[in-house]
């Protein structure tokens, strides 16, 4: 079974969230945060090897998988609130300072965590994202066509939730099923067939278009990320057409290093060995 040897637990946070974590290993701690529309199972090809000499914590983002958010309003799904929940969960596990690795929405939580809680973060890796504020500043026709779900999921009310409920697999998979291990896919499906998880995903994107973008703009040019920062992206994914990924990140994390991998969006599942090696390099530094 995938992630055999990882022990699951639920951690309640002062903000009212409940975070499902899976942990294994001993040594310096690192928390891995998944993306949309997945769960912490996405790390199954990377996490066991990391746990050979690290304490590895896999966390379902608030509202995703088996976690829940700390409130019903959109702000509770903002990355500032999510980051605070992750910090609280790690503290409850005995980890006051740790490295954080995030993919997709998890990467948005990860860099917000590094901005808001710098004393807690020993290293940061962001996989296949640009900062939220920069994404919205760059929206063009090509992005709107390829990433239309950003705008669909962010619609107010319950329209997206009702439409997705008609056929969740058709909406979330859209031809990507072959990329995922069958057991990981079963975990993702178990989550996204639950109405409360779909609602949380929509709240996440509503927050992205609102409080997250506003928080980024408030910090732009004011705060930067000082810890070692790794940026990875897929050459055949959505960032493959962006010529200045590292330049964008260096405005936020001046010492950022990184590169593109020969894959699409799901780096840890498409190129696990290269992803693992890059993360190990960050952690060793």
């Amino acid at each position: 079974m995938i992630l055999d040897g990882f022990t699951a637990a639920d951690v309640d946070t002062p903000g009212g969230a409940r975070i499902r974590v899976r942990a294994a290993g001993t040594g310096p701690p690192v928390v891995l945060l998944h993306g949309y529309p997945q769960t912490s199972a996405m790390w199954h090809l990377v996490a066991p090897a990391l746990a050979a000499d690290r304490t590895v914590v896999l966390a379902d983002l608030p509202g995703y998988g088996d976690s829940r958010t700390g409130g019903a309003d959109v702000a509770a799904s903002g990355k500032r609130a999510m980051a605070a929940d992750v910090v609280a969960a790690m503290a409850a596990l005995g980890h006051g300072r740790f490295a954080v690795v995030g993919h997709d929405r998890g990467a948005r939580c990860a860099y917000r965590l590094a901005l808001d809680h710098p004393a807690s973060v020993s290293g940061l890796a962001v996989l296949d994202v640009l900062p939220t504020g920069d994404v919205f500043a760059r929206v063009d026709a090509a992005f709107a066509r390829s990433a239309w779900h950003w705008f669909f999921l962010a619609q107010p009310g319950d329209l997206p939730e009702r439409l997705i409920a008609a056929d969740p697999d058709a909406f979330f998979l859209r031809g990507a099923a072959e990329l995922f291990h069958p057991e990981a896919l079963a975990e993702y499906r178990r989550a996204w067939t639950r109405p409360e998880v779909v609602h949380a995903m929509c709240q996440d994107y509503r927050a992205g278009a609102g409080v997250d973008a506003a928080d980024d703009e408030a910090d732009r040019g004011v705060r930067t990320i000082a810890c070692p920062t790794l940026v990875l992206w897929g050459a055949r994914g959505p960032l493959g057409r962006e010529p200045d990924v590292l330049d964008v990140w260096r405005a936020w994390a001046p010492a950022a290093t990184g590169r593109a991998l020969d894959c699409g969006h799901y780096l840890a599942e498409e190129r696990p060995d290269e992803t693992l090696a890059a993360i190990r390099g960050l952690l060793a530094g």
Side-chain angles (χ1 to χ4, degrees):
M1 293 181 62
I2 64 172
L3 295 175
D4 188 31
F6 279 73
T7 301
D10 291 321
V11 182
D12 292 328
T13 74
R18 173 166 290 178
I19 308 300
R20 170 64 56 87
V21 299
R22 292 189 267 197
T26 58
V30 55
V31 60
L32 308 184
L33 304 176
H34 65 88
Y36 157 96
Q38 298 167 286
T39 73
S40 59
M42 66 155 281
W43 299 108
H44 67 95
L45 296 174
V46 172
L50 277 181
D53 56 5
R54 301 272 166 178
T55 298
V56 178
V57 179
L58 312 179
D60 286 347
L61 292 175
Y64 284 75
D66 291 308
S67 293
R68 71 183 188 203
T69 62
D73 62 340
V74 170
S77 295
K79 305 314 159 293
R80 172 158 283 156
M82 284 190 180
D85 289 332
V86 171
V87 169
M90 290 296 283
L93 296 172
H95 309 306
R97 184 168 169 83
F98 49 88
V100 57
V101 177
H103 172 254
D104 188 76
R105 308 307 287 187
R108 303 187 186 285
C109 177
Y111 81 77
R112 175 47 59 187
L113 195 160
L115 285 167
D116 286 1
H117 306 273
S120 297
V121 183
S122 59
L124 168 69
V126 289
L127 277 56
D128 216 55
V129 297
L130 291 179
T132 302
D134 293 275
V135 172
F136 280 108
R138 289 170 171 236
V139 169
D140 58 13
F143 179 83
R145 285 192 298 269
S146 64
W148 56 270
H149 68 284
W150 276 58
F151 310 101
F152 171 71
L153 294 171
Q155 293 302 304
D158 65 349
L159 178 63
E161 290 92 331
R162 292 171 62 193
L163 294 176
I164 292 169
D167 195 341
D169 282 1
F171 180 79
F172 289 115
L173 284 173
R174 299 201 295 277
E178 69 279 0
L179 294 175
F180 306 128
H181 186 284
E183 290 183 38
L185 179 57
E187 281 285 299
Y188 308 155
R189 291 190 70 252
R190 184 177 65 85
W192 73 47
T193 52
R194 287 160 37 213
E196 67 272 22
V197 174
V198 173
H199 176 63
M201 292 179 184
C202 293
Q203 292 288 82
D204 174 10
Y205 278 83
R206 289 168 184 140
V211 293
D212 293 347
D215 287 341
D216 277 10
E217 293 309 320
D219 281 338
R220 187 183 300 279
V222 177
R223 293 202 289 175
T224 57
I225 296 167
C227 68
T229 299
L230 170 69
V231 181
L232 296 177
W233 65 98
R236 293 184 276 111
L239 295 191
R241 67 185 182 94
E242 300 291 342
D244 57 348
V245 173
L246 270 181
D247 289 339
V248 173
W249 274 108
R250 283 173 177 155
W252 292 93
T257 61
R259 65 187 180 95
L261 304 184
D262 182 22
C263 62
H265 177 57
Y266 299 98
L267 281 68
E269 289 165 293
E270 296 181 61
R271 289 290 186 270
D273 292 342
E274 294 173 67
T275 301
L276 173 64
I279 293 171
R280 279 197 177 280
L282 170 76
L283 299 178

